[in-house]
C-alpha cells in the first residue's frame, strides 16, 4: 500500500482520494479549507485531513489538482511521483481549445517547475461521475485512462492506482505526449457540450448500460 497526498479537495481530488483510501492506501487530503478536508475524511479509514503542504510532505505519490498552479517550493516534490489530472479551461465562448495546444502542456509545465519530480499525466480523460461505478463494473467495461511520463516506474505506479478504480491504462509514451491526452479531453468535452443530452449520456455510459449491477 502507498502513502498518497491529495493537493486540492475538489471533485477530482475527493473522488480519487476516497477510492484509494477504500482500496487500503494511506491518503492525506490537503486543502486550504480545513473544514472541507475534515468533512472529506469523516468515516473514511486510512484518511487524514491536512494542509496542502502537509499532504505533499506525507505522500510518496502526490495528486496535483490545482489547474495551472505551480508549487511554491519545488523541492517539496523532489523524488515524488506527481500525478497531473488537469485540463484546459474553455474560452469565453465556452468552446475548448484547438487540438494542438500552444506551448507546453500542463504536465510539462509542472515538470519544468519541479524538475526533480516524477510527473505523470493521467486521469484527465475520465469523467469523475463514471468513477461512482464499482471498480469491478468499470473493469468489466474496459474503461481506460491515458498515461504519459518520462519515468517508466512512475507510470507503472500510476497504472496500479488506476486499476484500484477499475480502470485500465494506455501508455502514450513520454511526457512530451501529454499534450495529446489534454487535446483528447478537449475534444471529448466539446462533444459533451454541444451534443444533445441523450448523446452525452451515451458517450459517458455506453459501455456500462447493458452490464449487470
Amino acid at each position: 500500500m502507498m502513502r498518497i497526498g491529495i493537493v486540492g479537495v475538489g471533485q477530482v481530488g475527493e473522488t480519487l482520494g476516497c477510492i484509494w483510501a477504500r482500496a487500503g492506501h494511506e491518503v492525506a487530503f490537503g486543502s486550504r479549507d480545513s473544514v472541507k478536508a475534515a468533512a472529506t475524511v469523516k468515516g473514511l479509514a486510512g484518511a487524514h485531513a491536512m494542509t496542502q503542504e502537509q499532504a505533499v510532505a506525507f505522500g510518496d505519490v502526490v495528486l496535483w489538482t490545482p489547474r495551472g498552479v505551480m508549487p511554491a517550493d519545488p523541492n517539496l516534490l523532489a523524488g515524488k511521483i506527481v500525478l497531473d489530472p488537469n485540463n484546459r479551461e474553455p474560452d469565453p465562448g465556452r468552446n475548448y481549445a484547438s487540438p494542438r495546444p500552444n506551448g507546453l502542456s500542463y504536465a510539462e509545465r509542472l515538470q519544468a517547475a519541479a524538475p526533480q519530480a516524477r510527473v505523470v499525466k493521467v486521469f484527465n480523460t475520465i469523467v469523475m461521475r463514471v468513477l461512482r461505478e464499482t471498480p469491478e463494473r468499470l473493469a468489466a467495461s474496459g474503461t481506460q485512462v491515458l498515461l504519459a511520463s518520462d519515468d517508466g516506474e512512475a507510470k507503472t505506479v500510476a497504472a496500479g492506482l488506476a486499476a484500484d478504480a477499475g480502470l485500465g491504462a494506455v501508455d502514450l509514451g513520454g511526457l512530451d505526449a501529454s499534450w495529446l491526452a489534454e487535446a483528447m479531453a478537449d475534444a471529448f468535452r466539446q462533444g459533451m457540450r454541444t451534443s444533445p443530452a441523450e448523446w452525452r449520456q451515451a458517450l459517458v455510459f455506453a459501455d456500462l448500460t447493458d452490464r449487470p449491477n
Side-chain angles (χ1 to χ4, degrees), residues 95-147:
N95 293 304
Y96 288 92
S98 59
R100 177 75 193 200
N102 294 320
L104 299 176
S105 67
Y106 276 125
E108 290 173 304
R109 289 167 58 191
L110 183 56
Q111 184 68 82
Q116 296 183 69
R118 305 163 69 187
V119 176
V120 184
K121 187 73 185 185
V122 65
F123 298 116
N124 72 302
T125 55
I126 187 74
V127 179
M128 288 298 111
R129 69 174 178 268
V130 172
L131 297 183
R132 295 173 188 164
E133 295 287 339
T134 65
E136 294 77 17
R137 196 172 182 211
L138 282 174
S141 77
T143 306
Q144 298 174 315
V145 293
L146 304 178
L147 302 174

Side-chain angles (χ1 to χ4, degrees), residues 26 30-31 45 52 55 57 92 99 128 135 173 176 193-194:
E26 289 284 321
S31 176
Q52 291 186 354
M128 288 298 111
D176 58 356
R193 191 187 77 79
T194 58

Side-chain angles (χ1 to χ4, degrees), residues 2 20 23 25 123 147 154-167 169:
M2 309 201 73
W20 291 330
H25 299 288
F123 298 116
L147 302 174
K155 280 194 283 191
T156 298
V157 170
L161 292 173
D164 287 335
L167 303 170

Side-chain angles (χ1 to χ4, degrees), residues 21-89:
R22 293 185 186 114
H25 299 288
E26 289 284 321
V27 180
F29 290 88
S31 176
R32 292 189 178 91
D33 184 341
S34 60
V35 174
K36 185 173 184 178
T40 302
V41 305
K42 188 175 182 179
L44 194 60
H48 314 276
M50 298 185 179
T51 67
Q52 291 186 354
E53 293 76 15
Q54 289 170 335
V56 169
F58 175 90
D60 299 314
V61 176
V62 175
L63 179 70
W64 188 270
T65 71
R67 182 188 289 112
V69 177
M70 298 299 111
D73 183 359
N75 291 326
L76 292 177
L77 295 175
K80 295 179 183 287
I81 295 172
V82 181
L83 310 179
D84 170 38
N86 291 297
N87 288 312
R88 292 170 285 178
E89 290 278 14

